[in-house]
Amino acid sequence: MNLSKLPNTDLHQMCLRGDESAWAYIYNYALCISRSPRWRLRESPEDTAQGIVCHLLGKGIDQVRDPNTFRGFVRSVAINFIRDSFKKRELQCSSLDSRCNDDNHHGLDPKSHAPGPEELVLENSLLQVIDKGLASLSEQCRTSLTGYIDYKMGFYKSYAALAKEFEIGVGTLSSRVTRCLDQLRQVKTIQGWMEA
């Protein structure tokens, strides 16, 4: 059974019944969210996903108000769980003297904030999927979304500056970008990334 195509309400009911395959799907869903390069987790994504599922099993699933939005609820719980893990993290004190032989004292070994090889491959793969998705859209949508991406990356001071560049009003640009993003979400490869 392909649970990714199962309606939210059915998936929610399966989880409430304790269906093992439904919970395995929820674990994999949480794992995909945990593996996002933006988090830079100190613990493994697998441990984080397991913590998310334990939270849902413990009390989280009882808070679902609308079973029609169950996957969105799980996504919100996962993101909040990850964000909360940063708040709980204790500061680790390290000796500046790397010559210490005591197990409790380690030399200062700062973590790199640069993305690792796996993150780079994931980002490049996503960029290729987005490029292919954009190529399948109309010229107007490609231009609008490229400008919108430039705006999000800070190449334009404001949304109004972007609208001025296109010589249209902010409202017109906003509705065009929304329409084009909806079209982009319908591209099969993009849908695959969103569901993963």
Side-chain angles (χ1 to χ4, degrees), residues 95-168:
S95 171
L96 294 176
D97 183 6
S98 61
R99 293 174 291 164
C100 268
N101 292 329
D102 187 358
D103 286 341
N104 295 329
H105 292 72
H106 303 286
L108 185 61
D109 185 19
K111 299 275 184 193
S112 170
H113 294 291
E118 184 178 303
E119 293 169 338
L120 289 173
V121 168
L122 188 63
E123 287 174 12
N124 287 337
S125 177
L126 178 58
L127 287 175
Q128 289 174 357
V129 168
I130 291 172
D131 283 344
K132 286 180 184 176
L134 284 172
S136 70
L137 300 178
S138 68
E139 177 67 31
Q140 185 182 51
C141 277
R142 281 196 306 269
T143 305
S144 298
L145 290 180
T146 302
Y148 181 70
I149 291 168
D150 288 345
Y151 159 70
K152 284 296 194 178
M153 294 182 72
F155 294 126
Y156 292 94
K157 289 184 179 181
S158 66
Y159 204 63
L162 177 61
K164 186 176 180 181
E165 177 73 23
F166 284 118
E167 299 177 350
I168 57 176

Side-chain angles (χ1 to χ4, degrees), residues 9-20 22-23 61:
T9 52
D10 294 344
L11 181 62
H12 179 246
Q13 285 302 313
M14 288 175 72
C15 287
L16 287 176
R17 287 193 306 264
D19 187 287
E20 191 174 320
W23 281 106
I61 199 165

Side-chain angles (χ1 to χ4, degrees), residues 48-113:
T48 302
Q50 184 176 0
I52 293 166
V53 169
C54 288
H55 174 74
L56 286 167
L57 283 167
K59 59 182 175 180
I61 199 165
D62 296 333
Q63 298 173 357
V64 175
R65 291 185 184 150
D66 183 5
N68 289 319
T69 60
F70 182 56
R71 283 182 181 86
F73 173 81
V74 171
R75 183 174 187 77
S76 295
V77 166
I79 290 170
N80 289 335
F81 184 90
I82 292 169
R83 287 180 178 157
D84 287 346
S85 73
F86 291 112
K87 295 175 188 172
K88 295 175 187 172
R89 192 168 291 148
E90 294 180 15
L91 292 176
Q92 294 181 344
C93 298
S94 297
S95 171
L96 294 176
D97 183 6
S98 61
R99 293 174 291 164
C100 268
N101 292 329
D102 187 358
D103 286 341
N104 295 329
H105 292 72
H106 303 286
L108 185 61
D109 185 19
K111 299 275 184 193
S112 170
H113 294 291

